[in-house]
Amino acid sequence: MKINTSLCAGAALGVIALAIAGGAQAQDTTTAWKGAPQFQNDTLTFKVRGRVYEDFVHQEVDRQTGADFDANVTRLRTARLGVEGTWNANWAYKAEFTVAGGSANWEDLILEYKPTDSVSIMAGNFKTVSFENISSSRYTTFMERGPFNDVLDIGRVMNVQVKANGENWTAAVAVSGDSLNNADPTATATGGSEALGVNGRVTWVPINGDATKLHVGAWARYRDRQDQANFNYQARNNTNYGARYISTGAVGVADTMVGLEGVFIQGPFAVQAEWAKADVDRLANVSSDFTTYYVAGSWFVTGEMKNLDVKKGEWGRTKILNPVTSGGLGALELAVRYDNTDLTNFNIPATAGEYSAWTLGANWYVHPYVRFMANYTKSENDNKAVGADVDVETLQFRAQFDF
């Protein structure tokens, strides 16, 4: 059933908190600071977590045919609240919900069992593939993950995943369903099954020095819509605001995707790139395919080094050398990114075109838990129909903190 009110989500988190607090009363509780207070009672831990992103967006839309327009919007990109903790060395949990746009949706909702230090079995609503996709937005370089994640539709869904890791590698496989936030399928005469898929990801860090790191990875996913609506492949303009001008419409019955990822870090410099191809099965035995990729580079002017979490295969929190809270100037990061998504192999509709964009970014980290961000994106949506092209310029700013 779809969870769409903050009341329901808040009540669920309250139940978890009360249950944990009640179980901890028999013994002394200690408190540690990990961005927020973390309470521990023997092997049981409990921590409140959250984040707030407040954005300003200026966007100018230039249509080849039709009226041009611009927009100026202040918006709450996300306000997320959750809890996480452990029951002992083998069991852990996480539950988060987001309030935005007048409603609340579940984010990560995970129960994890670790039979050993290097093996994990997870069940719940979470992400499974793509380096930037599974990396927390608290640590990604740009304000939005870009059309790569948008067109592949690789967000949070219900999964059962088995994952293993070593000192410099990870391997995971999962069976997936639909998002926890989508309504339950309605049973009909032809069936009522939700989308079903399988996916896997492997990563390896062959170079893992103090100042130099190289991460490579690959992933694959297959999914079938079952009795649900067809899949739609579309790309937004490197922002969470505004319309999408590149879209295939709802055409996918099933799809198979493969992706490659790479990250290279040399001191304050980092290069990150991903590429993916999707083969899409459509009705009437028609098939189409598309590719999408991005390349990004960043430089910490103040000398910091991006934090690659080798055992998870994702970005971690950057250590700030001279935070403002300690009398320093904080950290300054400059970045550039190129995105491309090509949907032109779809014969219809006219909006199944090609998207490309350049983005410039600047981030000021006051300390590890607070940063201010600025992104400028110039994007081109080249569609098939004559006169259907759309150019978009987007300037956006963000104030971000988490705990």
Side-chain angles (χ1 to χ4, degrees):
M1 184 174 72
K2 184 175 182 179
I3 305 297
N4 58 9
T5 67
S6 58
L7 178 62
C8 292
L13 294 183
V15 170
I16 294 173
L18 288 173
I20 293 171
Q25 290 177 355
Q27 302 175 9
D28 293 335
T29 299
T30 60
T31 304
W33 185 265
K34 294 187 176 181
Q38 175 173 291
F39 305 96
Q40 182 166 350
N41 189 287
D42 194 21
T43 59
L44 184 149
T45 64
F46 173 79
K47 176 187 172 185
V48 177
R49 54 183 288 144
R51 70 190 72 173
V52 176
Y53 302 165
E54 297 176 279
D55 291 2
F56 171 80
V57 182
H58 170 75
Q59 190 172 82
E60 298 181 6
V61 179
D62 181 7
R63 300 176 184 270
Q64 191 173 5
T65 302
D68 302 337
F69 69 90
D70 57 46
N72 295 283
V73 180
T74 55
R75 59 199 302 263
L76 178 65
R77 173 63 176 90
T78 189
R80 187 179 302 182
L81 183 65
V83 295
E84 66 176 353
T86 61
W87 283 286
N88 56 30
N90 303 108
W91 291 91
Y93 63 90
K94 182 192 296 184
E96 294 181 312
F97 71 93
T98 288
V99 178
S103 64
N105 288 307
W106 288 106
E107 299 289 343
D108 284 341
L109 188 62
I110 302 170
L111 177 63
E112 180 181 16
Y113 172 63
K114 293 186 64 111
T116 70
D117 290 341
S118 60
V119 176
S120 169
I121 302 172
M122 298 171 60
N125 197 62
F126 55 93
K127 301 175 181 178
T128 56
V129 297
S130 165
F131 180 88
E132 188 170 63
N133 183 50
I134 68 170
S135 294
S136 173
S137 61
R138 296 170 296 168
Y139 314 139
T140 52
T141 307
F142 295 88
M143 289 176 60
E144 302 296 338
R145 291 186 174 89
F148 183 88
N149 295 76
D150 201 23
V151 72
L152 295 174
D153 190 20
I154 48 179
R156 290 177 177 86
V157 295
M158 293 296 289
N159 296 282
V160 176
Q161 182 189 65
V162 179
K163 183 176 181 180
N165 72 272
E167 289 299 320
N168 66 341
W169 61 270
T170 70
V173 63
V175 177
S176 304
D178 202 356
S179 170
L180 182 64
N181 297 301
N182 291 344
D184 289 340
T186 301
T188 66
T190 57
S193 298
E194 68 181 31
L196 180 65
V198 294
N199 62 77
R201 176 176 181 251
V202 294
T203 69
W204 180 42
V205 180
I207 302 175
N208 189 23
D210 291 339
T212 306
K213 297 181 185 293
L214 174 64
H215 162 105
V216 292
W219 58 267
R221 180 186 72 169
Y222 170 80
R223 61 175 180 167
D224 190 301
R225 68 175 174 87
Q226 300 289 302
D227 302 314
Q228 304 310 298
N230 288 350
F231 301 129
N232 188 1
Y233 309 93
Q234 51 190 347
R236 190 180 268 127
N237 294 268
N238 286 70
T239 176
N240 180 258
Y241 173 78
R244 296 176 174 91
Y245 302 103
I246 294 288
S247 174
T248 64
V251 299
V253 174
D255 56 35
T256 302
M257 298 180 179
V258 294
L260 301 175
E261 58 190 50
V263 174
F264 178 71
I265 303 171
Q266 180 62 58
F269 298 95
V271 178
Q272 173 184 339
E274 294 192 73
W275 170 94
K277 180 179 181 181
D279 293 308
V280 180
D281 296 329
R282 303 165 60 179
L283 296 174
N285 294 320
V286 175
S287 63
S288 303
D289 62 62
F290 69 87
T291 58
T292 180
Y293 68 90
Y294 71 87
V295 180
S298 66
W299 170 41
F300 270 104
V301 180
T302 46
E304 282 76 7
M305 180 175 174
K306 293 186 80 71
N307 179 14
L308 177 65
D309 192 328
V310 175
K311 292 186 178 181
K312 292 184 178 180
E314 60 188 72
W315 288 130
R317 192 182 300 275
T318 298
K319 180 180 180 181
I320 307 305
L321 299 178
N322 297 292
V324 173
T325 49
S326 299
L329 297 176
L332 176 63
E333 181 183 26
L334 303 178
V336 62
R337 172 176 175 137
Y338 177 75
D339 288 274
N340 183 275
T341 295
D342 189 353
L343 302 176
T344 55
N345 283 345
F346 291 82
N347 57 335
I348 56 173
T351 55
E354 182 176 4
Y355 173 89
S356 60
W358 285 95
T359 298
L360 299 177
N363 302 319
W364 178 41
Y365 298 74
V366 176
H367 60 78
Y369 294 87
V370 175
R371 68 174 172 176
F372 296 91
M373 309 178 73
N375 284 183
Y376 168 76
T377 299
K378 184 175 180 60
S379 57
E380 297 180 354
N381 300 269
D382 297 327
N383 287 310
K384 294 179 180 180
V386 176
D389 295 350
V390 182
D391 295 337
V392 181
E393 292 185 66
T394 305
L395 177 64
Q396 48 191 347
F397 302 92
R398 172 173 296 170
Q400 167 186 321
F401 69 91
D402 73 277
F403 54 90

